[in-house]
Amino acid sequence: MDIKTASALRRLRLVSVPEAVSFLLLLVCSVLKRTTEFNAVPVMGAIHGLLFVLYVVFWADAWNRTKWSLKTAAFYFVMSVLPTGGFFADKRLKREAEDAVIAGRARQESVAKG
C-alpha cells in the first residue's frame, strides 16, 4: 500500500467516529427538541452535515485509491448513513490497514530473500 492510499484510509478513519457521534447527538437533540424547550438541532445539524460531507469526500478518495469492489465501497457508504455505522467502519478500516501493512512487510521480506 502506498503512502497516498494509506493516507486516504487514515482520513476516512479519522472522520468516521466523529461523524457517528455527531449523528447520535443529532438524534438526541431531535428528541430533546420535541420533549423540552432545548433546541440544539440547528447547531448539531450543521456540525453533523459538515462531518457527513467530509466522510463522503474521504470515502470517495479512499475508494478511488484502494480500488475497492462495489460491494466494499457500498458497505462503507452505508455505514455513513446508519447512526452507529461510523464505529463499525472505523474498526473494519483499522483491520484493513493493519492487514495491508502485514502484506507489505511480507512482500519486502520475500524480495529481500529472493
Side-chain angles (χ1 to χ4, degrees):
M1 177 182 303
D2 67 348
I3 191 73
K4 290 183 179 184
T5 304
S7 295
L9 289 174
R10 184 175 177 86
R11 283 189 301 271
L12 185 57
R13 280 193 66 211
L14 285 174
V15 77
S16 66
V17 171
E19 192 273 338
V21 169
S22 72
F23 196 170
L24 292 173
L25 288 174
L26 180 59
L27 292 174
V28 169
C29 289
S30 295
V31 169
L32 289 175
K33 176 184 175 184
R34 285 161 178 68
T35 59
T36 68
E37 297 295 317
F38 183 76
N39 183 10
V41 170
V43 173
M44 213 48 238
I47 292 169
H48 173 67
L50 174 67
L51 290 170
F52 178 75
V53 168
L54 284 174
Y55 184 98
V56 172
V57 168
F58 294 157
W59 165 81
D61 184 41
W63 184 12
N64 181 45
R65 292 188 186 280
T66 60
K67 307 298 186 223
W68 284 327
S69 67
L70 183 58
K71 180 180 175 183
T72 301
F75 169 80
Y76 286 120
F77 184 79
V78 168
M79 291 298 102
S80 72
V81 296
L82 297 176
T84 59
F87 300 114
F88 296 107
D90 177 61
K91 184 177 179 180
R92 188 163 162 185
L93 285 165
K94 181 179 180 183
R95 187 174 57 237
E96 188 174 321
E98 289 169 350
D99 290 347
V101 168
I102 291 168
R105 287 181 182 159
R107 279 193 300 274
Q108 286 177 344
E109 288 178 15
S110 68
V111 168
K113 289 180 182 177

